[in-house]
Amino acid sequence: MAAARGHLPLFLTFREKVEGNGFLVDVYIRGRVLAVQEGKEDVWMYGVQPGDIAGSGKNEGEAYLQILQTFKAVLFDISAGSADFSAFKREVHRFVGETSKDADKKWWKAVERVRSGDIQVEGMIRRKAELSAYPEIRRVGKLAAKNNILDLEKALAA
């Protein structure tokens, strides 16, 4: 991430199979994150929605992988603390619905910079910033290799 780009408003998609107490689910989450160049060598990705996560690395790719690991760790913690599928689903919806007010303000300011043309990222998919973060959770019935889906997308909010 070039320092000149400053704050990047990103959508991050995440898909993971999670085993819980008596259930197996496929979790798909689209969240909002703010990528920030911190100093010369560190990139941080701060959760906007869900707001209670962060990841860092020496570059954007490392920070991206770190925040995905954070997503996974939170889901595993939620599954461990959920008595059943309904409790898990409620808690994931609560988690994804939480917004960091500070990061949200910075995210929308960065969106305006993207819209004005001040921030441009060549080759990155652009999605309407008004898209909301959401989780999709479905029980896995019959286990099959066709259920494996590689659907990770990082998109610039515009």
Side-chain angles (χ1 to χ4, degrees), residues 94-136:
R94 185 203 59 75
F95 166 66
V96 174
E98 290 182 347
T99 301
S100 165
K101 290 179 183 175
D102 182 53
D104 187 54
K105 287 178 190 174
K106 292 175 182 175
W107 193 84
W108 282 106
K109 284 181 184 177
V111 167
E112 289 305 317
R113 292 185 63 215
V114 170
R115 289 176 175 169
S116 73
D118 190 31
I119 297 176
Q120 297 179 14
V121 182
E122 189 174 323
M124 187 173 283
I125 298 167
R126 291 172 60 128
R127 298 276 183 243
K128 289 185 179 188
E130 289 74 19
L131 294 173
S132 61
Y134 71 91
E136 180 181 309

Side-chain angles (χ1 to χ4, degrees), residues 11-41:
F11 285 113
L12 197 69
T13 60
F14 174 80
R15 184 179 301 269
E16 186 68 43
K17 287 200 178 359
V18 178
E19 190 171 340
N21 296 309
F23 61 90
L24 176 65
V25 293
D26 189 23
V27 178
Y28 172 81
I29 296 174
R30 179 178 63 217
R32 297 185 300 139
V33 298
L34 184 68
V36 180
Q37 183 78 42
E38 301 273 357
K40 292 182 180 180
E41 294 187 12

Side-chain angles (χ1 to χ4, degrees), residues 13-15 28 64 145-153:
T13 60
F14 174 80
R15 184 179 301 269
Y28 172 81
Y64 176 77
K146 68 179 175 120
N147 293 333
N148 293 326
I149 299 171
L150 185 58
D151 188 16
L152 301 177
E153 174 186 275

